[in-house]
Amino acid sequence: MAEIGHPLWTLHGRSLDGLRLHLTLGPTNPFGARYFHLLAMDSRGRLSSQPILTGLFSSGSEPAYNWVEIASSRELLTFISEQGPERRVVVNKRLFRRILRLLSGLVPPGGHFMVEYDSPQWLTTRQALSAGVPPLATPLGSLVYEAGFVFIRDWDLAEGGREGWRKLWGYKAWDEAHARARTAQNVQEILDYLASQPRPGYDAVEKVLHIKPAIRGEKAKAVRRIVEQAEWE
């Protein structure tokens, strides 16, 4: 069900890339967070057989109580009806990015955002993290960053059950000063990683381009030198 007045209700009915979002709310967990499913409806009024994502939403008086978690997500949706053939839609990067930005709008400064990366579509992210690539510079990490979360860390200790799966954890800046300071730290982290690679490759070089709008001045020149010197496979 969807409840008018709940913060997540702002997503219900939103049109994105030819689809219309359909929200269903579930029960509240023992800690006060609300389960939800985000499905899609196509132009023929067919509801997707699977949710785009399943998550938890929490809000409260303290910043730490305000968060969204994506517990699972799908890359492929199917729409079935008796009146026509089955339709399949890929949840591409553009669509997923737009959904993350909508969810980000529900998280105030100081809040956080969690996205699991054990789903099949995040294989490259898992491989990059295993190779030591900074979380921000992975495909999923860059999407979380673009959604407005300036500090990304890897929570790789989860073991399923109540803890959920492995996830990236993003934090929103308190204010502009905090955002600028954290961005500078992010850039330095990327530069340090690139400098540690004897032969920067795909994960090390191409991923740094995800945060190029934040890179300026001498650090931008340093990144350009590393990219220009990289041997592409």
Side-chain angles (χ1 to χ4, degrees):
M1 64 177 176
E3 298 175 5
I4 298 177
H6 190 281
L8 286 167
W9 177 256
T10 58
L11 277 66
H12 188 72
R14 292 290 295 265
S15 294
L16 296 177
D17 297 355
L19 300 174
R20 191 175 296 276
L21 299 182
H22 183 90
L23 172 73
T24 62
L25 291 172
T28 300
N29 74 5
F31 304 99
R34 190 76 181 268
Y35 288 97
F36 70 93
H37 297 289
L38 196 61
L39 297 94
M41 184 174 290
D42 70 4
S43 58
R44 299 173 63 180
R46 296 179 296 185
L47 198 62
S48 59
S49 299
Q50 314 85 4
I52 301 172
L53 58 86
T54 297
L56 282 152
F57 174 87
S58 175
S59 62
S61 58
E62 299 294 330
Y65 298 156
N66 293 275
W67 51 267
V68 173
E69 176 177 358
I70 295 178
S72 65
S73 61
R74 288 181 176 271
E75 188 176 22
L76 184 66
L77 303 177
T78 57
F79 298 84
I80 303 173
S81 72
E82 297 179 356
Q83 289 73 35
E86 175 181 297
R87 178 192 179 194
R88 296 186 177 185
V89 174
V90 174
V91 181
N92 57 28
K93 181 179 178 180
R94 167 188 163 87
L95 177 56
F96 197 74
R97 179 191 293 113
R98 295 184 70 184
I99 292 172
L100 291 190
R101 287 178 174 172
L102 289 175
L103 290 169
S104 171
L106 305 178
V107 180
H112 58 278
F113 195 84
M114 298 165 281
V115 189
E116 62 81 24
Y117 58 79
D118 278 319
S119 292
Q121 66 267 33
W122 303 124
L123 173 62
T124 302
T125 290
R126 294 194 297 275
Q127 292 174 332
L129 291 170
S130 296
V133 175
L136 170 62
T138 64
L140 179 57
S142 68
L143 291 175
V144 176
Y145 176 80
E146 291 170 5
F149 298 89
V150 297
F151 175 40
I152 315 295
R153 70 183 181 95
D154 178 19
W155 181 265
D156 64 349
L157 302 177
E159 300 175 349
R162 178 174 293 180
E163 288 188 354
W165 304 111
R166 294 178 296 177
K167 64 197 74 172
L168 292 185
W169 199 310
Y171 294 87
K172 263 197 176 177
W174 289 94
D175 51 34
E176 286 299 322
H178 182 207
R180 288 194 298 270
R182 185 62 239 183
T183 296
Q185 294 174 11
N186 288 335
V187 173
Q188 191 59 53
E189 182 180 8
I190 297 293
L191 290 173
D192 290 344
Y193 173 74
L194 291 175
S196 72
Q197 304 302 300
R199 183 188 176 196
Y202 174 77
D203 287 327
V205 176
E206 183 169 306
K207 293 298 183 294
V208 78
L209 302 181
H210 286 300
I211 60 169
K212 63 182 178 181
I215 304 175
R216 298 182 176 85
E218 292 303 314
K219 290 185 176 180
K221 296 178 183 178
V223 171
R224 283 198 294 272
R225 284 197 297 271
I226 293 172
V227 172
E228 290 167 359
Q229 294 169 4
E231 299 181 27
W232 294 87
E233 296 182 350

